[in-house]
């Protein structure tokens, strides 16, 4: 009789145990998720540029991120880039075109003389003084993007690791480190001396030897764009392969944990498995909003130098057409060399931005959460 009573008491305690554990897990899970969300929000807000903060008040709110990526916000960012008073873009464009008109008119009267060389040299120096400032804005974009990538990397790694994606988190950490290495190499070691060399060739084009300088400038720019494009493709291929393997490993591990918990521990295991699924789903959504925030930050950083380079290049294209109309071939060659520098700058901005977007997309798009 005593044994029967003990068995009944044991069974009763086992029946009540799952309900107690389930209540504890239910109370704890939202607290952990809210803490992760709050830390993510604070970290992203500290990284947002002032322009982006005007359009995105909460980077962890999916609706707010969606609105910030809407047409109205994008148009506002574009308008801010065009009307940016720091670049004095309108005045520089007007000065470029006015100088082209002036030197084009002068070239009609000083062809084939020493005065023509002097006029071309003055034009080259004028264009240089108006365009060289753009290089600092381009390099500033690379610096700001590197700072943002450095700050967002631990946030993304934390989200991946919190959901059980330890292998994917390690791959993401290494991927961002590789991206920063490539960006630093390009923006501090390769691009600054390359731009200075091309500006020097553009100034020398005022003295003659247009064919040689044209071919040299074209080959230097072409080789630089080709090498960086190939390097970017190799980096992305490596990141995609590593992240896919890591995501597969994490997904198998998480599914194994869920299945083991559900089958080995009746009632309690099902509750734990459901809580884990809810947590990973919430973290996956939070990770997606982080990707949207990264796009908004990229646009706020990219649009000012991109618009500046594009509009200045457009002005030089009109100036080159004007030089062709006035048959000022030497002036046209000088303008073409400066336009080629802006072409290289435009390619650099686009390639680096695409590399950043694809790097973010690799780790946001591939989910280790099963």
């Amino acid at each position: 009789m005593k044994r029967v009573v003990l068995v009944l008491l044991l069974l009763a305690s086992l029946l009540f145990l799952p309900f107690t554990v389930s209540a504890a897990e239910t109370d704890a899970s939202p607290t952990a998720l809210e803490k992760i969300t709050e830390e993510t929000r604070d970290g992203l807000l500290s990284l947002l540029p002032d322009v982006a903060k005007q359009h995105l008040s909460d980077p962890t709110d999916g609706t707010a991120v969606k609105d910030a990526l809407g047409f109205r916000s994008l148009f506002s960012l574009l308008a801010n880039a065009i009307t940016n008073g720091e670049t004095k873009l309108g005045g520089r464009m007007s000065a470029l075109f006015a100088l082209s008109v002036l030197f084009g008119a002068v070239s009609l009267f000083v062809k084939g003389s020493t005065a023509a060389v002097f006029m071309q040299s003055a034009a080259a120096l004028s264009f240089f003084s108006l365009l060289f400032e753009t290089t600092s804005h381009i390099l500033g974009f690379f610096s700001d993007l590197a700072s943002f990538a450095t700050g967002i990397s631990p946030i993304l790694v934390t989200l991946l690791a919190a959901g059980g994606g330890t292998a994917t988190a390690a791959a993401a950490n290494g991927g961002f480190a590789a991206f920063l290495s490539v960006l630093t190499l390009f923006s501090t070691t390769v691009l600054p001396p390359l731009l200075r060399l091309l500006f020097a060739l553009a100034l020398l084009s005022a003295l003659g030897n247009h064919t040689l300088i044209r071919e040299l400038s074209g080959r230097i720019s072409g080789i630089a764009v080709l090498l960086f494009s190939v390097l970017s493709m190799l980096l992305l291929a490596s990141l995609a392969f590593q992240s896919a393997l890591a995501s597969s490993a994490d997904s198998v591990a998480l599914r194994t944990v869920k299945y083991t918990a559900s089958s080995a521990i009746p009632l309690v295991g099902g509750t734990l498995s459901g809580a884990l699924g809810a947590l990973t789903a919430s973290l996956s959504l939070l990770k997606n909003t982080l990707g949207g925030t990264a796009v908004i930050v990229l646009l706020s950083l990219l649009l000012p130098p991109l618009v500046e380079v594009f509009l200045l290049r457009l002005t030089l294209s009109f100036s080159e057409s004007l030089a062709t109309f006035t048959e000022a071939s030497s002036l046209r060659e000088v303008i073409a060399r400066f336009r080629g520098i802006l072409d290289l700058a435009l390619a650099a901005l686009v390639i680096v931005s695409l590399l950043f977007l694809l790097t973010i997309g690799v780790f946001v798009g591939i989910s280790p959460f099963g």
Side-chain angles (χ1 to χ4, degrees):
M1 185 64 180
K2 292 181 179 180
R3 292 180 180 178
V4 174
V5 174
L6 290 176
V7 170
L8 291 176
L9 290 175
L10 179 61
L11 291 175
S13 63
L14 290 177
L15 288 174
F16 283 105
L17 180 61
F19 296 101
T20 305
V21 175
S22 175
E25 291 294 332
T26 303
D27 292 339
S29 296
T31 302
L33 181 59
E34 289 174 359
K35 183 178 180 181
I36 294 174
T37 303
E38 183 179 356
E39 291 177 351
T40 302
R41 182 189 302 111
D42 294 340
L44 290 177
L45 285 175
S46 65
L47 296 173
L48 289 181
D50 293 336
V51 176
K53 289 180 180 179
Q54 299 175 7
H55 304 277
L56 183 61
S57 57
D58 185 358
T60 59
D61 184 358
T63 303
V65 173
K66 182 179 178 180
D67 293 339
L69 289 172
F71 177 78
R72 179 177 298 179
S73 296
L74 296 180
F75 182 80
S76 177
L77 288 174
L78 182 60
N80 288 334
I82 295 176
T83 59
N84 186 6
E86 295 180 0
T87 60
K88 302 177 182 178
L89 185 56
R92 292 163 63 198
M93 291 173 59
S94 301
L96 279 175
F97 191 75
L99 288 172
S100 300
V101 173
L102 174 63
F103 289 119
V106 173
S107 65
L108 296 174
F109 304 98
V110 295
K111 291 182 178 180
S113 63
T114 305
V117 176
F118 177 79
M119 182 273 298
Q120 295 165 18
S121 300
L125 289 173
S126 300
F127 292 148
F128 172 80
S129 64
L130 290 171
L131 296 175
F132 189 73
E133 178 185 351
T134 302
T135 61
S136 63
H137 300 155
I138 296 171
L139 297 178
F141 161 73
F142 292 142
S143 177
D144 293 339
L145 185 62
S147 298
F148 177 72
T150 302
I152 200 177
S153 174
I155 298 176
L156 179 59
V157 168
T158 300
L159 290 178
L160 292 172
T166 54
T168 309
N173 189 42
F176 274 100
F179 168 77
L180 288 171
S181 298
V182 172
L183 180 58
T184 301
L185 173 67
F186 183 68
S187 62
T188 62
T189 305
V190 177
L191 190 59
L194 187 62
L195 290 176
R196 286 193 290 268
L197 175 60
L198 292 176
F199 271 113
L201 291 175
L203 291 173
L204 288 175
S205 66
L207 303 178
N209 295 325
H210 300 303
T211 302
L212 176 61
I213 293 177
R214 183 192 314 119
E215 293 180 356
L216 185 59
S217 300
R219 289 183 180 180
I220 291 175
S221 300
I223 291 174
V225 172
L226 177 62
L227 289 178
F228 192 69
S229 299
V230 171
L231 182 61
S232 300
M233 291 176 60
L234 292 176
L235 175 62
L236 286 172
S238 175
L239 292 180
F241 181 73
Q242 293 178 16
S243 61
L245 291 179
S247 176
S248 298
D250 287 333
S251 180
V252 171
L254 285 172
R255 288 175 182 174
T256 301
V257 170
K258 291 180 182 179
Y259 175 78
T260 302
S262 298
S263 59
I265 314 175
L267 298 178
V268 179
T271 303
L272 291 175
S273 178
L276 180 60
L279 177 63
T280 53
S282 299
L283 291 174
S284 180
L285 179 61
L286 193 60
K287 180 167 61 70
N288 291 335
T289 61
L290 182 144
T293 301
V295 174
I296 296 169
V297 172
L298 175 64
L299 289 175
S300 64
L301 295 177
L302 172 64
L303 283 178
L306 184 66
V307 168
E308 179 181 353
V309 172
F310 177 78
L311 292 180
L312 289 175
R313 187 198 178 284
L314 183 64
T315 304
L316 288 180
S317 297
F318 284 127
S319 300
E320 189 176 356
S321 300
L322 179 63
T324 303
F325 177 76
T326 58
E327 299 181 353
S329 58
S330 297
L331 179 61
R332 184 181 68 247
E333 288 292 334
V334 172
I335 296 175
R337 299 290 70 75
F338 284 103
R339 182 175 55 80
I341 297 173
L342 295 183
D343 288 339
L344 175 62
L346 194 63
L349 290 172
V350 172
I351 291 174
V352 169
S353 300
L354 288 177
L355 178 60
F356 175 76
L357 279 178
L358 293 175
T359 301
I360 290 290
V362 163
F363 298 110
V364 171
I366 298 181
S367 175
F369 299 136

